[in-house]
Structure formats: structure tokens, C-alpha cells
Short mmCIF file of all heavy atoms in Angstrom, two decimals:
data_model
loop_
_atom_site.label_atom_id
_atom_site.label_comp_id
_atom_site.label_asym_id
_atom_site.label_seq_id
_atom_site.Cartn_x
_atom_site.Cartn_y
_atom_site.Cartn_z
N VAL A 1 -202.08 -10.28 27.71
CA VAL A 1 -201.51 -9.47 26.63
C VAL A 1 -202.42 -8.26 26.42
O VAL A 1 -203.61 -8.40 26.13
CB VAL A 1 -201.37 -10.25 25.32
CG1 VAL A 1 -200.83 -9.34 24.21
CG2 VAL A 1 -200.43 -11.46 25.51
N ILE A 2 -201.87 -7.07 26.61
CA ILE A 2 -202.58 -5.82 26.28
C ILE A 2 -202.11 -5.39 24.91
O ILE A 2 -200.90 -5.31 24.64
CB ILE A 2 -202.25 -4.72 27.31
CG1 ILE A 2 -202.69 -5.14 28.72
CG2 ILE A 2 -202.94 -3.41 26.92
CD1 ILE A 2 -202.24 -4.19 29.80
N GLU A 3 -203.05 -5.11 24.02
CA GLU A 3 -202.71 -4.69 22.65
C GLU A 3 -203.49 -3.44 22.28
O GLU A 3 -204.71 -3.40 22.43
CB GLU A 3 -202.98 -5.80 21.64
CG GLU A 3 -202.68 -5.38 20.20
CD GLU A 3 -202.89 -6.50 19.18
OE1 GLU A 3 -203.06 -7.67 19.60
OE2 GLU A 3 -202.88 -6.20 17.98
N TYR A 4 -202.78 -2.43 21.83
CA TYR A 4 -203.40 -1.21 21.31
C TYR A 4 -202.91 -1.02 19.90
O TYR A 4 -201.69 -1.10 19.66
CB TYR A 4 -202.99 -0.03 22.18
CG TYR A 4 -203.47 1.33 21.70
CD1 TYR A 4 -204.78 1.76 21.94
CD2 TYR A 4 -202.61 2.20 21.04
CE1 TYR A 4 -205.22 3.02 21.52
CE2 TYR A 4 -203.03 3.46 20.61
CZ TYR A 4 -204.34 3.85 20.85
OH TYR A 4 -204.76 5.10 20.44
N SER A 5 -203.80 -0.80 18.96
CA SER A 5 -203.37 -0.70 17.57
C SER A 5 -204.02 0.49 16.87
O SER A 5 -205.12 0.92 17.26
CB SER A 5 -203.67 -1.99 16.79
OG SER A 5 -205.07 -2.16 16.63
N LEU A 6 -203.35 1.00 15.86
CA LEU A 6 -203.86 2.07 15.02
C LEU A 6 -203.68 1.69 13.56
O LEU A 6 -202.66 1.13 13.16
CB LEU A 6 -203.10 3.37 15.28
CG LEU A 6 -203.27 4.02 16.66
CD1 LEU A 6 -202.29 5.19 16.79
CD2 LEU A 6 -204.70 4.48 16.85
N LYS A 7 -204.69 2.00 12.75
CA LYS A 7 -204.61 1.82 11.30
C LYS A 7 -205.04 3.15 10.69
O LYS A 7 -206.20 3.51 10.73
CB LYS A 7 -205.51 0.67 10.85
CG LYS A 7 -205.09 -0.68 11.43
CD LYS A 7 -206.10 -1.77 11.11
CE LYS A 7 -205.69 -3.10 11.73
NZ LYS A 7 -205.68 -3.04 13.21
N LEU A 8 -204.09 3.86 10.12
CA LEU A 8 -204.30 5.25 9.74
C LEU A 8 -204.20 5.45 8.23
O LEU A 8 -203.18 5.13 7.63
CB LEU A 8 -203.26 6.16 10.42
CG LEU A 8 -203.05 5.92 11.93
CD1 LEU A 8 -201.92 6.80 12.44
CD2 LEU A 8 -204.33 6.14 12.69
N ASP A 9 -205.25 6.00 7.62
CA ASP A 9 -205.18 6.37 6.21
C ASP A 9 -204.24 7.55 6.00
O ASP A 9 -203.60 7.66 4.96
CB ASP A 9 -206.56 6.74 5.70
CG ASP A 9 -207.36 5.55 5.20
OD1 ASP A 9 -206.80 4.43 5.19
OD2 ASP A 9 -208.53 5.73 4.83
N SER A 10 -204.18 8.44 6.99
CA SER A 10 -203.32 9.61 6.87
C SER A 10 -202.59 9.85 8.17
O SER A 10 -203.17 10.30 9.16
CB SER A 10 -204.13 10.87 6.50
OG SER A 10 -203.33 12.03 6.59
N ASN A 11 -201.31 9.56 8.16
CA ASN A 11 -200.47 9.79 9.33
C ASN A 11 -200.53 11.24 9.79
O ASN A 11 -200.82 11.53 10.96
CB ASN A 11 -199.03 9.36 8.96
CG ASN A 11 -198.04 9.50 10.10
OD1 ASN A 11 -198.34 10.02 11.16
ND2 ASN A 11 -196.81 9.05 9.85
N PRO A 12 -200.29 12.24 8.88
CA PRO A 12 -200.28 13.63 9.36
C PRO A 12 -201.64 14.11 9.85
O PRO A 12 -201.72 14.90 10.80
CB PRO A 12 -199.80 14.43 8.15
CG PRO A 12 -200.02 13.55 6.98
CD PRO A 12 -199.85 12.16 7.49
N GLU A 13 -202.72 13.65 9.24
CA GLU A 13 -204.04 14.11 9.68
C GLU A 13 -204.39 13.54 11.06
O GLU A 13 -205.00 14.24 11.88
CB GLU A 13 -205.11 13.77 8.63
CG GLU A 13 -205.02 14.63 7.39
CD GLU A 13 -206.09 14.30 6.37
OE1 GLU A 13 -207.05 13.54 6.72
OE2 GLU A 13 -206.00 14.79 5.24
N PHE A 14 -204.02 12.29 11.31
CA PHE A 14 -204.27 11.74 12.64
C PHE A 14 -203.41 12.46 13.68
O PHE A 14 -203.88 12.83 14.76
CB PHE A 14 -204.01 10.24 12.66
CG PHE A 14 -204.38 9.58 13.98
CD1 PHE A 14 -205.68 9.19 14.22
CD2 PHE A 14 -203.42 9.39 14.95
CE1 PHE A 14 -206.03 8.62 15.44
CE2 PHE A 14 -203.75 8.81 16.17
CZ PHE A 14 -205.06 8.42 16.41
N THR A 15 -202.12 12.62 13.36
CA THR A 15 -201.22 13.35 14.27
C THR A 15 -201.76 14.74 14.56
O THR A 15 -201.76 15.21 15.71
CB THR A 15 -199.82 13.43 13.65
OG1 THR A 15 -199.31 12.12 13.43
CG2 THR A 15 -198.85 14.19 14.55
N SER A 16 -202.26 15.41 13.55
CA SER A 16 -202.80 16.75 13.71
C SER A 16 -204.01 16.75 14.63
O SER A 16 -204.21 17.68 15.42
CB SER A 16 -203.20 17.31 12.35
OG SER A 16 -202.11 17.39 11.47
N SER A 17 -204.84 15.72 14.52
CA SER A 17 -206.02 15.63 15.39
C SER A 17 -205.62 15.47 16.85
O SER A 17 -206.28 16.04 17.74
CB SER A 17 -206.89 14.44 14.95
OG SER A 17 -207.37 14.64 13.63
N VAL A 18 -204.56 14.74 17.10
CA VAL A 18 -204.04 14.60 18.46
C VAL A 18 -203.50 15.97 18.94
O VAL A 18 -203.75 16.38 20.07
CB VAL A 18 -202.94 13.52 18.54
CG1 VAL A 18 -202.42 13.39 19.96
CG2 VAL A 18 -203.47 12.17 18.06
N LEU A 19 -202.78 16.66 18.06
CA LEU A 19 -202.21 17.96 18.42
C LEU A 19 -203.29 18.97 18.82
O LEU A 19 -203.13 19.70 19.80
CB LEU A 19 -201.41 18.51 17.24
CG LEU A 19 -200.04 17.86 16.99
CD1 LEU A 19 -199.51 18.27 15.62
CD2 LEU A 19 -199.05 18.25 18.07
N VAL A 20 -204.39 18.99 18.08
CA VAL A 20 -205.45 19.95 18.38
C VAL A 20 -206.10 19.62 19.73
O VAL A 20 -206.41 20.51 20.53
CB VAL A 20 -206.48 20.00 17.25
CG1 VAL A 20 -207.71 20.79 17.64
CG2 VAL A 20 -205.85 20.62 16.00
N ALA A 21 -206.32 18.32 20.01
CA ALA A 21 -206.90 17.95 21.30
C ALA A 21 -206.01 18.36 22.45
O ALA A 21 -206.47 18.89 23.48
CB ALA A 21 -207.16 16.44 21.33
N TYR A 22 -204.70 18.15 22.29
CA TYR A 22 -203.77 18.53 23.36
C TYR A 22 -203.54 20.04 23.41
O TYR A 22 -203.19 20.57 24.48
CB TYR A 22 -202.46 17.77 23.21
CG TYR A 22 -202.50 16.42 23.90
CD1 TYR A 22 -202.89 15.27 23.19
CD2 TYR A 22 -202.24 16.28 25.24
CE1 TYR A 22 -202.99 14.05 23.82
CE2 TYR A 22 -202.31 15.07 25.88
CZ TYR A 22 -202.69 13.95 25.19
OH TYR A 22 -202.78 12.74 25.82
N ALA A 23 -203.73 20.74 22.30
CA ALA A 23 -203.68 22.19 22.35
C ALA A 23 -204.80 22.73 23.25
O ALA A 23 -204.59 23.66 24.03
CB ALA A 23 -203.81 22.77 20.93
N ARG A 24 -205.97 22.10 23.15
CA ARG A 24 -207.08 22.47 24.04
C ARG A 24 -206.67 22.28 25.50
O ARG A 24 -206.95 23.12 26.36
CB ARG A 24 -208.31 21.62 23.72
CG ARG A 24 -209.50 21.87 24.65
CD ARG A 24 -210.64 20.89 24.37
NE ARG A 24 -211.25 21.13 23.07
CZ ARG A 24 -211.22 20.25 22.06
NH1 ARG A 24 -210.61 19.08 22.21
NH2 ARG A 24 -211.81 20.54 20.92
N ALA A 25 -206.00 21.17 25.78
CA ALA A 25 -205.59 20.86 27.15
C ALA A 25 -204.60 21.89 27.68
O ALA A 25 -204.77 22.37 28.81
CB ALA A 25 -204.99 19.46 27.20
N ILE A 26 -203.59 22.23 26.90
CA ILE A 26 -202.59 23.16 27.45
C ILE A 26 -203.15 24.58 27.52
O ILE A 26 -202.74 25.36 28.39
CB ILE A 26 -201.24 23.13 26.68
CG1 ILE A 26 -201.39 23.57 25.23
CG2 ILE A 26 -200.62 21.74 26.79
CD1 ILE A 26 -200.03 23.77 24.54
N ASN A 27 -204.09 24.91 26.67
CA ASN A 27 -204.74 26.23 26.79
C ASN A 27 -205.51 26.31 28.10
O ASN A 27 -205.47 27.33 28.81
CB ASN A 27 -205.68 26.44 25.60
CG ASN A 27 -206.31 27.82 25.60
OD1 ASN A 27 -205.63 28.82 25.76
ND2 ASN A 27 -207.63 27.88 25.44
N ARG A 28 -206.20 25.23 28.47
CA ARG A 28 -206.92 25.20 29.74
C ARG A 28 -205.96 25.26 30.93
O ARG A 28 -206.20 26.00 31.90
CB ARG A 28 -207.75 23.91 29.83
CG ARG A 28 -208.98 23.93 28.93
CD ARG A 28 -209.66 22.56 28.93
NE ARG A 28 -210.97 22.62 28.29
CZ ARG A 28 -211.71 21.55 28.05
NH1 ARG A 28 -211.28 20.36 28.40
NH2 ARG A 28 -212.88 21.67 27.47
N LEU A 29 -204.87 24.52 30.84
CA LEU A 29 -203.89 24.53 31.93
C LEU A 29 -203.25 25.90 32.09
O LEU A 29 -203.02 26.35 33.22
CB LEU A 29 -202.82 23.46 31.67
CG LEU A 29 -203.24 22.02 31.92
CD1 LEU A 29 -202.23 21.04 31.33
CD2 LEU A 29 -203.44 21.75 33.40
N HIS A 30 -202.98 26.55 30.98
CA HIS A 30 -202.37 27.89 31.06
C HIS A 30 -203.32 28.86 31.73
O HIS A 30 -202.89 29.74 32.50
CB HIS A 30 -201.97 28.39 29.68
CG HIS A 30 -201.15 29.64 29.71
ND1 HIS A 30 -201.63 30.87 29.34
CD2 HIS A 30 -199.86 29.85 30.10
CE1 HIS A 30 -200.69 31.77 29.50
NE2 HIS A 30 -199.60 31.19 29.95
#
């Protein structure tokens, strides 16, 4: 059994942190 879990105090702030990391990625790719 593989299990991955998240417990988030702030859904939008965690989502935003993912967005910024991936923004870095697509900027590099571009």
C-alpha cells in the first residue's frame, strides 16, 4: 500500500506555493 497524505491549514496558500514552484519550472522551460 502506497499512501501519500496532506494536512493543510490553508488550502489556497498551499496551492499557491505549488503554483509558484511550477511557475519557476515553466519559466526555465520557456
Side-chain angles (χ1 to χ4, degrees):
V1 177
I2 299 173
E3 178 177 349
Y4 175 80
S5 68
L6 293 173
K7 298 173 181 64
L8 312 176
D9 273 356
S10 171
N11 182 354
E13 287 181 11
F14 185 84
T15 299
S16 300
S17 297
V18 181
L19 285 166
V20 170
Y22 274 93
R24 177 185 292 115
I26 63 170
N27 185 48
R28 287 173 169 173
L29 285 167
H30 189 253

